[in-house]
């Protein structure tokens, strides 16, 4: 399988683009003409430069407004094509994309267009070149791949074929199954892009909002299954016009794209095993069974403060690491690891950010397989030197310095607590049983990368993005979760530095865990136990409870209990949700205790503005800047 990406998909100069694309593992590039024109060097130089990076030029594009023109425009279009053929030969590529005309003077008619393509094919063939025809979703006469195919069929020239682009087909809701009828050898090239489901003008949507397969809402997998069913064996190429990517990290976007392509093609062959997909086998996604541990990098006074907070939350010290300044805190099925080492990954995280979550451990059925899948998707593995008596727990790097470990029972990795920490049975604790969700904060532009990271690696689905209103700006929140909810991650994207999330981000120098939610089956009993341990909840104002009383019918006494315990409330069609926040610790990190009744699926998003306002008040009251 040959992978490719259009140069428009990533930011930077042509040289920067090539370096990032080659490093990410692609086989080739589509040269977008504008990138070439902007470059100060001959086509031969560009061709050599591409090949020096170990890449090939899979396509030159776009050639616009060619077919259906009356004379003298028609002759002029052919002259223009001949010049571009010269350029292609110098560049060293044999395929050009002709997109369907939007020219006001262009005439309709399948046979007229077919005749134009027959002649263009004959001229291209003389030079050993090929023509691919793509239906733009907003083409003047041709805007459907079925019509483009009919023109190619009638053009009846071996140097003229069809180019399919998932965006143009799926954006117009054209059934991709219609592709199965096209002979694979007449499909010369396939471009892939996804997009978020937003109602807007097709051209504007296409030029600004495309994203990587799996990052949007289009059925790119269904499209690609149909393409592969034709026997198509050519390049699979990303063509992503996206404002954010144009200004984003060149290397990061190239890597995300590669990850999306591999995951997509693996999904295609899993969905339809009869299809021939030339990709080495990779392990399937597994569903995480939950969060096995959360590790904090911390030090000195901050470590003592965190320990004190953990105690008020019901945790007990369950063991000390045999070789390191690392302690294990536990209650129910929840493990918190405090790492005060002065060398290694945790130390580096502490130096950069102060007290921070530096590592998350996920419980899975086969840890090695998850890491193998991650590596096939282009993710860097992570390892540190192993001390005496320590287990080698498979791990990978996430973004902005984060690390994920994977723990399974099958290879005995779950014995790490006993072997490295001398821990016995779990202390029962004060009621919290497991981690309900992990909330990660990041800048808005990194949200797609994180979403793709989780959904391509593990069996996790994303839910629609919701807006959370901070008094000082907007935070966008996206949930990724495993099918049974065993692992739930909320990704919070901050635009403004003034939001709570934005301040957290700037003060912790990059994306990291901002809060951890602990699940209990009885929040009122838990909070009573915690109160006796000195737990100090985030106070909620009277107005909040007055509004709750107006919005919901509560059984007698419930609202009073909630108010007395500073418990927040939400409800969906399935059940109720109760939450209570702890006050933030150094750096703005905080815990929350939650109770989900009868399968409530949300995260209390309607409460977020009031929680954020309360946290900002708390920050001001302490005389420290509001976070
Ligand atoms: O937006 C465009 O004009 C455009 C150009 C070339 C393509 O391949 C495409 O899909 C869109
Ligand atoms: Mg295209």
């Amino acid at each position: 399988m040959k992978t490719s990406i259009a140069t428009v998909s990533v930011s930077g100069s042509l040289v920067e683009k090539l370096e990032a694309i080659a490093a990410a593992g692609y086989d080739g590039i589509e040269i977008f003409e504008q990138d070439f024109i902007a470059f100060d060097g001959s086509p031969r130089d560009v061709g050599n430069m591409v090949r020096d990076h170990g890449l090939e030029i899979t396509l030159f594009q776009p050639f616009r407004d060619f077919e259906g023109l009356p004379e003298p425009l028609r002759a002029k279009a052919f002259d223009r094509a001949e010049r571009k053929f010269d350029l292609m030969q110098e560049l060293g590529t044999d395929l050009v994309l002709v997109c369907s005309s939007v020219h006001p003077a262009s005439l309709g008619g399948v046979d007229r267009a077919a005749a134009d393509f027959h002649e263009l094919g004959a001229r291209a063939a003389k030079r050993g070149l090929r023509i691919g025809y793509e239906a733009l979703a907003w083409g003047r006469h041709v805007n459907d791949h079925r019509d483009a195919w009919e023109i190619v069929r009638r053009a009846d020239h071996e140097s003229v074929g069809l180019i399919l682009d998932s965006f143009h087909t799926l954006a117009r809701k054209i059934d991709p199954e219609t592709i199965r009828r096209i002979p694979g050898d007449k499909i010369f090239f396939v471009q892939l892009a996804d997009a978020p489901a937003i109602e807007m003008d097709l051209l504007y949507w296409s030029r600004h909002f495309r994203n990587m397969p799996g990052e949007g809402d289009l059925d790119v997998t269904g499209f690609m299954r149909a393409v592969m069913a034709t026997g198509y064996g050519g390049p699979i190429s990303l063509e992503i016009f996206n404002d954010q990517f144009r200004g984003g990290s060149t290397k990061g976007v190239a890597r995300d794209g590669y990850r999306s392509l591999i995951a997509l093609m693996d999904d295609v062959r899993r969905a339809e095993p009869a299809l021939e997909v030339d990709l080495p086998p990779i392990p399937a996604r597994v569903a995480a069974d939950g969060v096995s541990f959360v590790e904090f990098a911390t030090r000195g006074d901050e470590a003592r403060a965190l320990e004190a907070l953990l105690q008020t939350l019901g945790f007990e010290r369950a063991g000390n690491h045999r070789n390191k300044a690392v302690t294990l805190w536990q209650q129910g099925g929840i493990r918190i690891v405090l790492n005060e080492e002065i060398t290694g990954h945790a130390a580096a995280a502490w130096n950069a950010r102060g007290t921070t979550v530096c590592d998350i451990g996920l419980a899975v059925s086969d840890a090695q397989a998850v890491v193998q899948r991650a590596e096939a998707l282009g993710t860097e593995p992570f390892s540190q030197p192993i001390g005496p008596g320590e287990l080698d727990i498979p791990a990978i790097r996430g973004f902005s310095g984060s690390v994920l470990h994977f723990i399974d029972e099958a290879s005995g990795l779950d014995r790490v607590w006993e072997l490295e920490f001398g821990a016995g049975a779990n202390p029962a604790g004060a009621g919290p049983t497991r981690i309900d969700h992990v909330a990660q904060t990041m800048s808005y532009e990194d949200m797609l990368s994180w979403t793709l990271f989780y959904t391509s690696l593990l069996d996790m689905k994303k839910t629609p993005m919701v807006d959370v209103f901070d008094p000082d700006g907007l935070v966008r929140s996206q949930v990724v979760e495993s099918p049974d909810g065993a692992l739930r991650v909320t990704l919070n994207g901050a635009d403004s530095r003034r939001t709570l999330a934005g301040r957290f981000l700037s003060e912790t120098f990059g994306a990291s865990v901002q809060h951890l939610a602990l699940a209990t089956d009885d929040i009122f009993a838990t909070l009573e136990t915690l109160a006796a341990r000195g737990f100090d909840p985030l106070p909620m104002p009277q107005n909040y409870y007055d509004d709750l009383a107006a919005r919901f019918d509560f059984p007698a006494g419930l609202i009073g209990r909630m108010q007395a315990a500073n418990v927040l409330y939400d409800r969906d069609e399935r059940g109720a949700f109760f939450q209570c926040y702890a006050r933030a610790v150094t750096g703005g990190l905080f815990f929350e205790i939650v109770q989900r009744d009868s399968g409530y699926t949300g995260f209390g998003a309607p409460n977020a503005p009031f929680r954020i306002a309360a946290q900002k008040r708390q920050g001001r009251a302490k005389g420290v800047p509001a976070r």
Side-chain angles (χ1 to χ4, degrees):
M1 183 182 90
K2 211 180 265 180
T3 56
S4 163
I5 183 169
T7 51
V8 272
S9 313
V10 296
S11 65
S13 68
L14 189 54
V15 178
E16 287 163 342
K17 291 178 192 223
L18 292 179
E19 277 169 9
I21 291 168
Y26 296 86
D27 302 306
I29 55 160
E30 298 176 26
I31 293 237
F32 207 73
E33 189 170 27
Q34 288 211 335
D35 280 318
F36 167 72
I37 298 171
F39 184 74
D40 184 20
S42 73
R44 232 170 253 284
D45 291 344
V46 170
N48 289 333
M49 200 166 80
V50 173
R51 285 179 285 277
D52 286 348
H53 281 84
L55 297 165
E56 70 173 276
I57 304 176
T58 55
L59 179 76
F60 175 74
Q61 75 136 333
F63 188 69
R64 297 184 190 274
D65 294 338
F66 163 72
E67 78 280 20
L69 289 171
E71 294 294 358
L73 292 171
R74 183 176 186 275
K76 176 73 186 136
F78 276 94
D79 288 349
R80 205 159 42 88
E82 294 282 1
R83 288 197 190 216
K84 297 303 168 186
F85 291 168
D86 296 342
L87 170 56
M88 288 167 62
Q89 288 182 303
E90 302 256 313
L91 281 170
T93 183
D94 76 335
L95 182 63
V96 60
L97 176 148
V98 178
C99 53
S100 59
S101 183
V102 298
H103 199 289
S106 74
L107 303 167
V110 172
D111 286 325
R112 183 195 317 272
D116 287 347
F117 275 105
H118 186 89
E119 184 177 338
L120 193 65
R123 293 198 194 194
K126 280 196 200 135
R127 306 190 193 217
L129 302 179
R130 296 178 305 143
I131 309 292
Y133 185 38
E134 175 196 56
L136 292 178
W138 54 90
R140 189 171 169 86
H141 300 287
V142 175
N143 47 39
D144 183 321
H145 69 251
R146 291 168 295 194
D147 296 337
W149 162 235
E150 186 54 24
I151 289 167
V152 165
R153 198 183 68 76
R154 290 196 208 174
D156 192 24
H157 195 288
E158 62 177 9
S159 300
V160 177
L162 183 67
I163 293 184
L164 291 169
D165 178 325
S166 61
F167 180 87
H168 297 299
T169 295
L170 299 172
R172 292 189 42 121
K173 302 191 169 64
I174 298 165
D175 183 1
E177 292 300 301
T178 55
I179 292 169
R180 289 181 190 256
R181 295 198 283 271
I182 304 170
D185 62 351
K186 289 305 283 182
I187 303 174
F188 280 6
F189 201 80
V190 173
Q191 297 178 314
L192 294 177
D194 203 337
I198 343 176
E199 283 298 321
M200 74 169 89
D201 171 68
L202 286 171
L203 184 149
Y204 198 80
W205 189 21
S206 174
R207 295 219 177 132
H208 301 272
F209 290 92
R210 290 186 179 208
N211 54 23
M212 303 299 176
E215 290 183 342
D217 301 308
L218 302 179
D219 182 16
V220 185
T221 309
F223 172 89
M224 204 57 213
R225 283 172 61 182
V227 168
M228 296 311 284
T230 67
Y232 174 75
I236 296 160
S237 190
L238 297 166
E239 190 200 30
I240 318 292
F241 308 97
N242 181 300
D243 297 346
Q244 218 174 288
F245 297 177
R246 281 178 201 274
S249 148
T250 314
K251 288 200 176 97
V253 173
R255 266 189 251 140
D256 284 353
Y258 187 78
R259 168 172 296 146
S260 79
L261 273 186
I262 302 297
L264 170 75
M265 295 311 287
D266 184 52
D267 288 344
V268 164
R269 73 174 158 197
R270 282 178 198 285
E272 210 166 322
L275 298 178
E276 259 182 59
V277 176
D278 170 23
L279 176 75
I282 63 176
R285 287 182 186 82
V286 295
D289 301 322
V291 177
S292 173
F293 69 90
V294 176
E295 180 168 334
F296 287 79
T298 187
R299 206 70 75 75
D301 290 347
E302 290 185 10
R304 305 291 83 74
L306 187 51
E307 287 175 350
L309 176 69
L310 290 177
Q311 275 163 334
T312 70
L313 286 166
F315 287 90
E316 282 166 36
R317 188 194 292 255
N320 298 325
H321 193 275
R322 52 184 294 153
N323 307 321
K324 297 178 183 161
V326 179
T327 55
L328 172 65
W329 293 74
Q330 235 171 307
Q331 73 172 315
I334 312 170
R335 293 184 198 87
I336 304 277
V337 173
L338 302 189
N339 189 325
E340 294 184 64
E341 284 287 287
I342 53 168
T343 59
H345 168 64
W350 191 84
N351 288 334
R353 305 170 172 200
T355 292
T356 184
V357 171
C358 62
D359 195 341
I360 294 176
L362 298 181
V364 294
S365 53
D366 182 347
Q368 203 58 54
V370 177
V371 172
Q372 270 169 20
R373 181 172 173 93
E375 288 189 60
L377 296 173
T379 308
E380 236 185 289
F382 170 85
S383 68
Q384 291 210 106
I386 309 286
E390 295 177 11
L391 299 182
D392 187 3
I393 301 177
I396 58 171
R397 285 189 184 278
F399 301 107
S400 53
S402 63
V403 165
L404 278 174
H405 275 85
F406 299 95
I407 292 198
D408 63 23
E409 279 177 31
S411 36
L413 296 171
D414 62 330
R415 293 188 60 212
V416 60
W417 315 112
E418 167 199 337
L419 298 177
E420 293 189 19
F421 292 86
N426 284 352
T433 53
R434 52 185 291 273
I435 299 231
D436 181 87
H437 62 274
V438 175
Q440 285 181 275
T441 294
M442 59 205 56
S443 71
Y444 173 65
E445 60 203 36
D446 294 333
M447 284 184 83
L448 284 176
S449 299
W450 274 102
T451 306
L452 181 69
F453 175 84
Y454 282 116
T455 57
S456 62
L457 179 63
L458 296 163
D459 184 5
M460 293 179 91
K461 295 272 178 299
K462 54 180 195 228
T463 62
M465 200 176 276
V466 297
D467 295 336
V468 170
F469 294 97
D470 179 298
D472 297 300
L474 182 69
V475 175
R476 268 164 288 200
S477 186
Q478 163 93 68
V479 175
V480 285
E481 58 188 352
S482 56
D484 60 357
L487 175 61
R488 299 188 183 100
V489 182
T490 61
L491 308 173
N492 299 300
D495 265 340
S496 147
R497 290 188 147 225
R498 293 177 57 212
T499 59
L500 190 83
R503 277 181 200 244
F504 176 75
L505 202 57
S506 57
E507 285 176 26
T508 56
F509 303 100
S512 58
V513 172
Q514 189 174 8
H515 87 256
L516 289 173
L518 314 177
T520 173
D521 295 330
D522 185 344
I523 196 164
F524 294 108
T526 294
L527 289 174
E528 236 173 79
T529 311
L530 296 190
R533 297 174 76 116
F535 175 71
D536 188 15
L538 180 72
M540 294 303 295
Q542 178 72 41
N543 294 350
Y544 174 75
Y545 293 98
D546 289 345
D547 176 60
L548 272 191
R551 283 163 55 215
F552 299 103
D553 287 326
F554 291 111
L558 183 54
I559 193 118
R561 288 182 84 191
M562 289 196 289
Q563 182 163 9
N566 290 291
V567 167
L568 294 79
Y569 181 84
D570 187 33
R571 188 188 288 167
D572 66 9
E573 57 286 348
R574 290 174 162 217
F577 187 57
F578 300 89
Q579 40 185 174
C580 178
Y581 288 91
R583 293 171 187 253
V585 293
T586 323
L589 202 136
F590 58 94
F591 286 82
E592 126 185 66
I593 312 250
V594 305
Q595 177 185 335
R596 288 174 188 275
D597 280 353
S598 356
Y600 170 88
T601 55
F603 294 81
N607 292 324
F610 316 122
R611 178 262 295 173
I612 293 167
Q615 286 173 314
K616 288 190 162 174
R617 262 196 306 278
Q618 173 211 350
R620 281 194 296 273
K622 278 204 306 202
V624 296
R627 300 177 190 288

Short mmCIF file of all heavy atoms in Angstrom, two decimals, residues 30 61 97 134 136 163-165 168 191 210 239 241, ligand 2:
data_model
loop_
_atom_site.label_atom_id
_atom_site.label_comp_id
_atom_site.label_asym_id
_atom_site.label_seq_id
_atom_site.Cartn_x
_atom_site.Cartn_y
_atom_site.Cartn_z
N GLU A 30 1.44 14.51 -3.11
CA GLU A 30 0.77 15.20 -4.21
C GLU A 30 1.35 16.60 -4.18
O GLU A 30 1.32 17.25 -3.13
CB GLU A 30 -0.73 15.36 -3.95
CG GLU A 30 -1.53 14.13 -3.82
CD GLU A 30 -3.00 14.46 -3.46
OE1 GLU A 30 -3.49 15.57 -3.77
OE2 GLU A 30 -3.64 13.61 -2.84
N GLN A 61 -1.35 18.54 -9.03
CA GLN A 61 -2.73 19.02 -9.03
C GLN A 61 -2.84 20.45 -8.55
O GLN A 61 -1.94 20.94 -7.90
CB GLN A 61 -3.59 18.10 -8.15
CG GLN A 61 -3.35 18.30 -6.68
CD GLN A 61 -4.63 18.33 -5.88
OE1 GLN A 61 -5.68 18.68 -6.40
NE2 GLN A 61 -4.56 17.98 -4.62
N LEU A 97 -4.21 15.77 -11.86
CA LEU A 97 -5.61 15.79 -11.48
C LEU A 97 -6.29 16.96 -12.20
O LEU A 97 -5.87 18.11 -12.07
CB LEU A 97 -5.75 15.96 -9.96
CG LEU A 97 -7.16 16.09 -9.38
CD1 LEU A 97 -7.21 15.47 -7.98
CD2 LEU A 97 -7.64 17.55 -9.30
N GLU A 134 -11.52 14.43 -11.55
CA GLU A 134 -12.18 14.45 -10.23
C GLU A 134 -13.41 15.36 -10.28
O GLU A 134 -13.33 16.49 -10.76
CB GLU A 134 -11.21 15.00 -9.19
CG GLU A 134 -11.82 15.19 -7.81
CD GLU A 134 -10.99 16.07 -6.88
OE1 GLU A 134 -10.68 17.23 -7.23
OE2 GLU A 134 -10.64 15.60 -5.78
N LEU A 136 -15.53 17.83 -8.52
CA LEU A 136 -15.63 18.70 -7.34
C LEU A 136 -17.09 18.73 -6.92
O LEU A 136 -17.98 18.80 -7.78
CB LEU A 136 -15.19 20.13 -7.67
CG LEU A 136 -13.73 20.39 -8.00
CD1 LEU A 136 -13.53 21.87 -8.34
CD2 LEU A 136 -12.83 19.99 -6.83
N ILE A 163 -10.46 10.09 -10.68
CA ILE A 163 -9.90 10.33 -9.35
C ILE A 163 -11.06 10.48 -8.37
O ILE A 163 -11.99 11.25 -8.62
CB ILE A 163 -8.96 11.55 -9.33
CG1 ILE A 163 -7.71 11.24 -10.16
CG2 ILE A 163 -8.59 11.92 -7.89
CD1 ILE A 163 -6.63 12.30 -10.17
N LEU A 164 -11.00 9.71 -7.31
CA LEU A 164 -12.05 9.78 -6.29
C LEU A 164 -11.51 10.53 -5.08
O LEU A 164 -10.34 10.39 -4.72
CB LEU A 164 -12.45 8.36 -5.86
CG LEU A 164 -13.18 7.55 -6.92
CD1 LEU A 164 -13.27 6.08 -6.49
CD2 LEU A 164 -14.57 8.12 -7.18
N ASP A 165 -12.38 11.32 -4.50
CA ASP A 165 -12.01 12.08 -3.30
C ASP A 165 -13.17 11.89 -2.31
O ASP A 165 -14.31 12.26 -2.60
CB ASP A 165 -11.82 13.55 -3.71
CG ASP A 165 -11.49 14.47 -2.54
OD1 ASP A 165 -12.00 14.25 -1.42
OD2 ASP A 165 -10.74 15.45 -2.76
N HIS A 168 -15.65 14.87 -1.62
CA HIS A 168 -16.65 15.28 -2.61
C HIS A 168 -17.83 14.30 -2.68
O HIS A 168 -18.96 14.70 -2.88
CB HIS A 168 -16.00 15.43 -3.99
CG HIS A 168 -14.96 16.50 -4.02
ND1 HIS A 168 -15.23 17.81 -3.74
CD2 HIS A 168 -13.64 16.46 -4.27
CE1 HIS A 168 -14.13 18.54 -3.82
NE2 HIS A 168 -13.13 17.74 -4.15
N GLN A 191 -8.11 10.16 -3.15
CA GLN A 191 -7.81 11.16 -2.12
C GLN A 191 -8.76 10.98 -0.96
O GLN A 191 -9.96 10.74 -1.16
CB GLN A 191 -7.99 12.57 -2.68
CG GLN A 191 -7.03 12.88 -3.82
CD GLN A 191 -7.26 14.26 -4.38
OE1 GLN A 191 -8.40 14.66 -4.62
NE2 GLN A 191 -6.19 15.01 -4.59
N ARG A 210 -11.81 20.42 6.28
CA ARG A 210 -11.49 19.00 6.14
C ARG A 210 -10.59 18.60 7.30
O ARG A 210 -9.86 19.43 7.84
CB ARG A 210 -10.74 18.76 4.83
CG ARG A 210 -11.57 18.93 3.58
CD ARG A 210 -10.72 18.52 2.39
NE ARG A 210 -11.43 18.63 1.14
CZ ARG A 210 -11.17 17.88 0.07
NH1 ARG A 210 -10.20 16.98 0.10
NH2 ARG A 210 -11.86 18.04 -1.04
N GLU A 239 -5.76 14.50 1.34
CA GLU A 239 -5.81 15.86 0.78
C GLU A 239 -6.67 16.69 1.75
O GLU A 239 -7.89 16.66 1.71
CB GLU A 239 -6.45 15.86 -0.61
CG GLU A 239 -6.30 17.21 -1.30
CD GLU A 239 -7.30 17.41 -2.42
OE1 GLU A 239 -8.42 16.86 -2.36
OE2 GLU A 239 -6.96 18.14 -3.35
N PHE A 241 -7.60 20.23 3.40
CA PHE A 241 -7.57 21.69 3.49
C PHE A 241 -8.16 22.04 4.85
O PHE A 241 -9.34 21.79 5.09
CB PHE A 241 -8.44 22.34 2.41
CG PHE A 241 -8.14 21.87 1.00
CD1 PHE A 241 -8.90 20.87 0.43
CD2 PHE A 241 -7.12 22.44 0.26
CE1 PHE A 241 -8.66 20.44 -0.88
CE2 PHE A 241 -6.87 22.02 -1.04
CZ PHE A 241 -7.64 21.02 -1.61
MG1 LIG B 2 -9.52 16.32 -4.20
#
